[in-house]
Amino acid sequence: MQEAVKQALELKKAVYETYRDIQYIRFVDDSKIFKRGTIVIGDTIIPPYPKIGRLFVLEEGLKRFFKEPFYIEEKADGYNIRVIYYKERPLAITRGGFICPFSTDRLKDFYDFNEFFRKYPELVLCGEIVGPNNPYMELHPPYITFDVAFRLFDIYDLKENRFLLPEERYKIADTFQIPQVTRYGLYTTGDLERIKELVLKLNAEEIEGVVIKSAQRHLRYFKYATPIINIKDIEADVDLLLELPGEFFIQRIIRFALSSLELGYDGKEVTNRLGEIFIENFKKIVQEFKESGKISRQYVLYFNEEENIEEFLKLENRASDLIKVKLIGVEREQNKYKVTIEKTFLKATSRLYRLIRGYPLYD
Amino acid sequence: MQEAVKQALELKKAVYETYRDIQYIRFVDDSKIFKRGTIVIGDTIIPPYPKIGRLFVLEEGLKRFFKEPFYIEEKADGYNIRVIYYKERPLAITRGGFICPFSTDRLKDFYDFNEFFRKYPELVLCGEIVGPNNPYMELHPPYITFDVAFRLFDIYDLKENRFLLPEERYKIADTFQIPQVTRYGLYTTGDLERIKELVLKLNAEEIEGVVIKSAQRHLRYFKYATPIINIKDIEADVDLLLELPGEFFIQRIIRFALSSLELGYDGKEVTNRLGEIFIENFKKIVQEFKESGKISRQYVLYFNEEENIEEFLKLENRASDLIKVKLIGVEREQNKYKVTIEKTFLKATSRLYRLIRGYPLYD
């Protein structure tokens, strides 16, 4: 094992994890060399998927960061995984560096990764898992109305230690028919009006937003959200008003205001609903809480293998101190296990409990 | 000097401050013995005004914390000062432990503190400075429409080292005709419906809220806000959406929802305005920012003494790294100096500048 990995393990910047019969090392924190989300599996070190900067003002951002042409792609609303190939099995790794039992279980439904990886074992396929029946995200693209799907948005080459350029990736994805995020084509900063029109069209479709990727420079990526998605995010997460940092909500208000201004999006109707979204929805949460005594959400997930259900529940309860996951029920449906789980958000629950029971806050 | 004060000075938990010819020590941080906001002036140690817990649900809170009767008083919307007597001068100390040149300057307009303190030099008069022409707060009680006023809400006895009970204070304030916060009388937990009616009446008047004070136990105080004031707070501070912690805004939404629910306050009209308050107002801020390049507020203050204007500006610029204060103009008006100042909020300014100039955020 590399000396740097050993040191990180000693410093608890990295920890051992297990998925079924596979042991691997996960970086829980940035170390000197490796960043949080890196995993070491067998002899391979898989880097984390990098954070992408978010633009609040498109025109100034594009002019500031792009002289060269850039591709625009859909920012698909789901969660990020890296698909790797290990001992002839494709595995899905979350952003935090866990092998996700749910995502891994479902890979074979998305695409024949085995066939692809037999040819290109050195590639990491980075993509979004999208769709209503996922365990992490409330929102999903409007065109995925059931279960989950996979959409490739990046490829990392472990031999060359680099992310491919968009065109290199497009070629591979097209050749091997890997499902990809929607591509809107090549633009330059001269196309600002066309780009704004595109985002307004996506806004009308309630798509999350776009990712702008340099055609020439590796990892020169920026993301930009449609106005509407910010309000939909707030609406989807108002039950976690006492769980999420206040900035989660406030930043989305700022994004909505700035993007509406720049795009010339009126958004009056959405604006007028914001008070109701915050207040009437939160009142409902409080009323429900008085019955249930908890802030929780139910998820319906489809699994192929029973063992992955177990692994998934184990991992979820271990991965966060703030969330308790409970299995509600398992049914057979077609060739799948239809699994209903409940997540209880412990911070929101205890905070609301205390407020409602008359305990004071010192602010 | 006490050993504990010396130690705190060494540890930088306390620092020397100056107001005109007066030197004093201010606790910038909690030390072993003294809390942040304590000041040492001459041989006297003035404790800070304690934090008061806020109830989100009145019924449960009152039942939990009161067996005995309690007084209800107006929570006057302003800023908290402690008036002390030092070398035959009344001085106004802010919550943070500064002698406030503005508040101190204006004491003689509020009440004949000299006469009172000649009899009771051992008492600290704790009160709120309220009114539109103050340097700290955007909101003010509806019945103070010009300049500022003082309202006593507590008395600390330096000899007995205790805060007086409400009745003791009422007696002194009545006898010496010290202006007091509005008193709503004595209640018990059996009076819940009457209390709710009172708060609803105050809500209609757009009063900030109430403070509930045990008639028997020292410092058993709780505060409770009217629903409407939370939305007015948000409206007043939306220009600081990028300055204040997100919790500032989110907590007020939660307070509004919970108090509306409990009081049976419909508040639909207010709810419907919330989106506009957040978004349309923030858009205006952005448009203004494009002209001015800064997030700032103007304040008009009335001073008696020129030297206090200087002292005030010096203190304001020293007291916070986040705020820059500029003198815009001074005029004579009646027997006062009418002073216009501008505060620029540096965090909000630089954050908005970066967003608008196209710099990305990594979230």
Side-chain angles (χ1 to χ4, degrees):
Chain A
M1 196 191 301
Q2 279 200 20
E3 198 49 47
V5 176
K6 267 191 205 152
Q7 209 177 62
L9 282 164
E10 271 165 34
L11 293 168
K12 309 262 189 236
K13 304 250 175 189
V15 296
Y16 281 101
E17 300 283 355
T18 311
Y19 165 68
R20 300 181 72 158
D21 57 330
I22 298 170
Q23 206 189 36
Y24 61 102
I25 294 167
R26 180 175 72 92
F27 279 74
V28 294
D29 230 326
D30 288 357
S31 76
K32 257 188 228 164
I33 301 182
F34 303 109
K35 291 213 148 192
R36 191 185 110 81
T38 300
I39 86 163
V40 184
I41 183 161
D43 295 328
T44 310
I45 296 174
I46 317 282
Y49 194 75
K51 283 190 175 179
I52 296 182
R54 179 187 298 282
L55 298 180
F56 284 62
V57 174
L58 206 46
E59 179 170 3
E60 296 286 327
L62 295 179
K63 285 187 183 155
R64 178 172 301 280
F65 294 109
F66 293 102
K67 304 282 169 276
E68 72 278 24
F70 46 83
Y71 285 94
I72 299 185
E73 301 173 359
E74 177 185 349
K75 177 159 180 10
D77 205 350
Y79 63 92
N80 176 310
I81 59 161
R82 287 161 280 163
V83 187
I84 61 161
Y85 201 50
Y86 177 69
K87 291 193 176 165
E88 280 156 50
R89 285 148 76 183
L91 300 170
I93 303 163
T94 64
R95 206 122 192 206
F98 289 104
I99 296 176
C100 172
F102 169 72
S103 315
T104 299
D105 180 275
R106 298 304 306 279
L107 288 178
K108 68 173 191 175
D109 300 316
F110 302 145
Y111 175 68
D112 190 348
F113 287 101
N114 278 297
E115 200 196 322
F116 177 82
F117 280 127
R118 260 178 245 125
K119 291 199 186 87
Y120 295 107
E122 76 279 13
L123 297 185
V124 177
L125 298 180
C126 307
E128 200 83 354
I129 293 194
V130 288
N133 299 106
N134 87 75
Y136 304 123
M137 306 296 288
E138 287 303 290
L139 297 185
H140 56 84
Y143 50 80
I144 310 275
T145 55
F146 177 67
D147 203 5
V148 281
F150 172 84
R151 294 291 185 269
L152 182 79
F153 58 68
D154 219 330
I155 296 179
Y156 185 79
D157 188 321
L158 290 165
K159 269 201 196 133
E160 299 183 5
N161 289 318
R162 68 176 184 97
F163 283 92
L164 303 192
L165 286 169
E167 281 167 41
E168 298 175 296
R169 165 167 52 94
Y170 295 160
K171 214 173 118 188
I172 292 175
D174 290 344
T175 307
F176 293 92
Q177 295 191 288
I178 309 173
Q180 309 171 57
V181 294
T182 317
R183 287 149 47 175
Y184 304 119
L186 193 64
Y187 297 79
T188 69
T189 50
D191 300 318
L192 192 76
E193 286 314 308
R194 270 178 61 221
I195 296 170
K196 284 189 191 173
E197 270 165 42
L198 168 67
V199 178
L200 277 170
K201 189 180 136 276
L202 300 181
N203 187 60
E205 294 170 17
E206 307 198 346
I207 296 281
E208 184 188 357
V210 293
V211 183
I212 301 139
K213 298 184 168 180
S214 168
Q216 295 161 14
R217 283 188 282 172
H218 293 279
L219 280 188
R220 170 133 305 210
Y221 302 160
F222 294 96
K223 56 190 176 186
Y224 181 76
T226 57
I228 189 93
I229 209 67
N230 295 300
I231 307 302
K232 293 193 60 131
D233 272 351
I234 291 173
E235 187 166 19
D237 283 323
V238 106
D239 53 340
L240 302 186
L241 215 49
L242 283 159
E243 177 104 8
L244 296 170
E247 270 61 32
F248 176 91
F249 299 98
I250 297 306
Q251 239 222 44
R252 279 164 175 77
I253 290 172
I254 291 166
R255 286 186 211 159
F256 179 86
L258 286 174
S259 58
S260 298
L261 264 181
E262 182 175 20
L263 300 170
Y265 169 59
D266 175 63
K268 276 273 181 306
E269 211 184 304
V270 183
T271 296
N272 288 340
R273 279 184 54 233
L274 186 62
E276 206 183 303
I277 286 171
F278 268 126
I279 288 161
E280 293 308 316
N281 290 7
F282 188 70
K283 281 187 189 170
K284 267 181 224 141
I285 301 294
V286 172
Q287 303 287 33
E288 286 164 24
F289 184 88
K290 285 179 181 166
E291 299 295 315
S292 69
K294 65 191 171 196
I295 302 273
S296 60
R297 292 175 179 173
Q298 286 213 356
Y299 300 79
V300 175
L301 307 172
Y302 296 91
F303 281 84
N304 291 304
E305 294 177 37
E306 227 172 338
E307 205 179 336
N308 280 329
I309 305 172
E310 291 297 314
E311 286 280 330
F312 174 74
L313 292 170
K314 242 172 43 194
L315 175 62
E316 282 292 288
N317 276 318
R318 206 160 45 76
S320 167
D321 294 340
L322 297 177
I323 293 172
K324 210 182 74 192
V325 180
K326 202 172 89 182
L327 182 66
I328 301 291
V330 182
E331 298 165 54
R332 281 303 277 181
E333 196 172 291
Q334 323 270 18
N335 60 343
K336 296 268 189 293
Y337 295 96
K338 180 183 173 181
V339 177
T340 306
I341 63 166
E342 184 188 74
K343 286 194 195 181
T344 301
F345 297 87
L346 302 179
K347 196 199 274 182
T349 296
S350 76
R351 285 180 174 173
L352 188 52
Y353 175 86
R354 289 185 59 82
L355 295 184
I356 282 180
R357 294 299 301 272
Y359 289 96
L361 265 195
Y362 290 81
D363 51 26
Chain B
M1 196 190 303
Q2 278 201 20
E3 199 50 47
V5 176
K6 267 191 207 153
Q7 210 177 60
L9 282 164
E10 271 165 34
L11 294 168
K12 309 261 189 237
K13 305 250 177 188
V15 296
Y16 281 101
E17 301 282 356
T18 312
Y19 165 68
R20 299 180 72 158
D21 57 329
I22 298 170
Q23 206 189 36
Y24 61 102
I25 293 167
R26 179 175 72 92
F27 279 75
V28 294
D29 230 326
D30 288 358
S31 76
K32 256 188 228 163
I33 300 181
F34 302 109
K35 292 213 148 194
R36 191 185 110 80
T38 300
I39 86 163
V40 184
I41 184 162
D43 296 328
T44 310
I45 295 173
I46 317 282
Y49 194 75
K51 283 188 175 181
I52 296 182
R54 178 186 298 282
L55 298 181
F56 284 62
V57 174
L58 206 46
E59 178 169 5
E60 296 286 326
L62 294 179
K63 285 187 183 155
R64 178 173 301 282
F65 294 108
F66 292 101
K67 305 281 169 277
E68 73 277 25
F70 45 84
Y71 285 94
I72 298 184
E73 301 174 359
E74 178 185 349
K75 177 159 181 9
D77 205 350
Y79 63 93
N80 176 310
I81 59 162
R82 288 161 280 163
V83 187
I84 61 162
Y85 201 50
Y86 177 68
K87 291 194 176 165
E88 280 156 51
R89 286 147 76 184
L91 300 170
I93 302 163
T94 64
R95 206 121 193 207
F98 289 103
I99 296 177
C100 172
F102 169 72
S103 315
T104 299
D105 180 274
R106 299 304 306 279
L107 289 177
K108 68 174 192 174
D109 299 316
F110 302 145
Y111 176 69
D112 190 348
F113 288 101
N114 279 298
E115 199 196 322
F116 176 82
F117 280 128
R118 260 177 246 126
K119 291 200 187 85
Y120 294 107
E122 75 280 12
L123 296 185
V124 177
L125 298 180
C126 307
E128 200 84 352
I129 293 194
V130 288
N133 299 106
N134 87 75
Y136 304 123
M137 306 296 288
E138 288 303 291
L139 297 185
H140 55 85
Y143 50 80
I144 310 275
T145 55
F146 177 68
D147 203 5
V148 282
F150 172 85
R151 293 290 184 269
L152 182 80
F153 58 68
D154 219 329
I155 296 179
Y156 185 79
D157 188 321
L158 290 164
K159 269 202 194 130
E160 299 183 4
N161 288 319
R162 68 176 185 98
F163 283 91
L164 303 192
L165 286 169
E167 281 168 40
E168 298 175 296
R169 164 168 51 94
Y170 295 159
K171 214 174 119 189
I172 292 175
D174 291 344
T175 307
F176 293 91
Q177 295 190 289
I178 309 173
Q180 310 172 58
V181 294
T182 317
R183 287 150 45 175
Y184 304 119
L186 193 63
Y187 297 79
T188 69
T189 50
D191 300 317
L192 192 75
E193 286 314 309
R194 270 178 61 222
I195 296 170
K196 284 189 191 174
E197 270 165 42
L198 168 67
V199 178
L200 277 170
K201 188 180 136 276
L202 300 181
N203 187 60
E205 293 170 17
E206 308 198 345
I207 296 280
E208 184 187 357
V210 293
V211 183
I212 301 138
K213 298 183 168 179
S214 167
Q216 294 161 15
R217 284 188 282 174
H218 294 279
L219 279 188
R220 170 133 306 210
Y221 301 160
F222 294 95
K223 55 190 176 186
Y224 181 75
T226 57
I228 189 92
I229 209 67
N230 295 300
I231 307 300
K232 293 192 62 130
D233 272 351
I234 290 173
E235 187 166 19
D237 282 324
V238 108
D239 54 340
L240 302 186
L241 215 48
L242 283 159
E243 178 105 7
L244 296 170
E247 270 61 32
F248 176 91
F249 299 97
I250 297 306
Q251 239 222 45
R252 280 164 175 77
I253 290 172
I254 291 166
R255 286 186 211 158
F256 180 86
L258 286 174
S259 59
S260 297
L261 263 181
E262 182 175 20
L263 299 170
Y265 169 59
D266 175 63
K268 276 272 180 307
E269 210 184 304
V270 183
T271 296
N272 288 340
R273 278 185 54 233
L274 186 61
E276 206 183 303
I277 286 171
F278 268 127
I279 288 162
E280 294 307 317
N281 290 7
F282 189 71
K283 281 187 189 170
K284 267 180 225 142
I285 300 294
V286 172
Q287 304 286 32
E288 285 164 23
F289 185 88
K290 285 179 181 166
E291 299 295 315
S292 69
K294 65 193 172 194
I295 302 272
S296 60
R297 292 175 180 173
Q298 286 213 357
Y299 300 79
V300 174
L301 307 172
Y302 296 91
F303 281 85
N304 291 304
E305 294 177 38
E306 226 172 339
E307 205 179 336
N308 281 329
I309 305 172
E310 292 296 313
E311 287 279 330
F312 174 74
L313 292 170
K314 243 172 41 194
L315 175 62
E316 282 291 289
N317 277 318
R318 206 160 44 76
S320 167
D321 294 339
L322 297 177
I323 294 172
K324 210 182 73 194
V325 180
K326 202 172 89 182
L327 182 66
I328 301 290
V330 182
E331 298 165 54
R332 282 302 278 180
E333 196 172 291
Q334 323 270 18
N335 60 343
K336 295 269 189 293
Y337 295 96
K338 179 182 173 182
V339 177
T340 306
I341 62 165
E342 183 189 75
K343 287 194 193 179
T344 300
F345 297 87
L346 301 179
K347 195 199 275 183
T349 296
S350 75
R351 284 180 173 174
L352 189 52
Y353 175 86
R354 289 186 59 82
L355 295 183
I356 282 180
R357 293 299 301 271
Y359 289 96
L361 265 195
Y362 290 82
D363 51 25

